[in-house]
Amino acid sequence: DLTKVQKGGAIFDEEKMRSINREHLRLRGVPALIPHIPKNLVEGREEAQMVAIAEMLLDRISVFSDIEKEVASGELDYLLKDPSYPPQLLRWKKATEPATAHLEKSLSLLEAIVDKSFSKGTVKEMLMPYAEEKGKGNVLWPVRVALSGKEQSPDPFTLAGCLGKEIVLRRLRSALSMVQ
């Protein structure tokens, strides 16, 4: 009804549009996102890894073009290549002991997971009891840094699901060699 149309100028709220689009993307889900992920992020990966990458991206984007921005900024480099970082970054700022023992234990726990069942969920099941016993930051911080090379990244369970067992174990061994 034209009588309900206001005479004032319309305002385009980009933040509101991004919020609505974010919810729309979440409703469409992972299958709709996978075709929009750049090939270099998913090529050579198993289906479970592609799904894990898409789930991670759904939490980070509002529009498909945000993915390219994340790639261009280097935020997703840990998916493309092994990270480089200073060894002292492996030690959590509130750590009460060196990261070596926690990396070794995490490595042995993750090696025990059967290849086909290696996922975000199984990694969490294996690491969380140990992390709760020894302190979540003490255990999970060095694992996160070993996998991403960053102080700020997705949690180590998400990273493990995206990277797969072979890469996770290689990065943990590399981190161990840096601190020993």
Side-chain angles (χ1 to χ4, degrees):
D1 184 5
L2 287 177
T3 60
K4 295 181 180 178
V5 175
Q6 296 182 9
K7 294 180 182 180
I11 298 173
F12 178 72
D13 186 348
E14 185 174 343
E15 193 59 38
K16 181 72 174 176
M17 183 273 310
R18 290 180 68 81
S19 174
I20 291 169
N21 204 65
R22 173 183 291 252
E23 290 306 311
H24 178 70
L25 287 175
R26 287 184 179 171
L27 288 173
R28 290 184 63 197
V30 168
L33 181 61
I34 289 177
H36 297 277
I37 299 173
K39 297 286 183 230
N40 63 334
L41 292 181
V42 293
E43 66 188 355
R45 299 194 193 273
E46 296 176 16
E47 174 105 12
Q49 291 172 286
M50 287 191 288
V51 169
I53 291 169
E55 288 172 346
M56 176 193 61
L57 289 172
L58 270 178
D59 289 337
R60 299 172 71 126
I61 67 167
S62 297
V63 293
F64 291 132
S65 62
D66 287 348
I67 299 170
E68 280 87 31
K69 290 176 185 172
E70 293 264 323
V71 171
S73 71
E75 284 298 312
L76 301 175
D77 281 355
Y78 52 82
L79 293 174
L80 300 170
K81 60 185 178 185
D82 287 350
S84 82
Y85 50 89
Q88 61 269 25
L89 189 58
L90 288 164
R91 186 178 174 110
W92 186 47
K93 59 186 169 249
K94 298 178 184 177
T96 55
E97 51 201 32
T100 310
H102 301 306
L103 286 169
E104 286 173 346
K105 181 67 173 177
S106 298
L107 179 62
S108 70
L109 290 169
L110 297 182
E111 284 174 330
I113 299 174
V114 177
D115 291 359
K116 290 186 179 192
S117 65
F118 193 89
S119 67
K120 174 183 177 177
T122 56
V123 169
K124 189 172 187 172
E125 286 174 21
M126 293 298 280
L127 288 182
M128 276 310 284
Y130 177 67
E132 287 171 348
E133 175 189 338
K134 298 294 184 177
K136 291 179 185 176
N138 289 330
V139 175
L140 300 179
W141 177 268
V143 174
R144 167 188 275 177
V145 171
L147 299 182
S148 70
K150 298 177 179 286
E151 291 184 48
Q152 296 180 355
S153 68
D155 64 72
F157 318 118
T158 299
L159 291 168
C162 294
L163 296 170
K165 184 176 181 178
E166 181 182 327
I167 293 173
V168 167
L169 297 180
R170 182 180 71 232
R171 291 185 183 180
L172 288 175
R173 288 184 188 109
S174 175
L176 261 170
S177 70
M178 292 171 66
V179 293
Q180 291 180 337

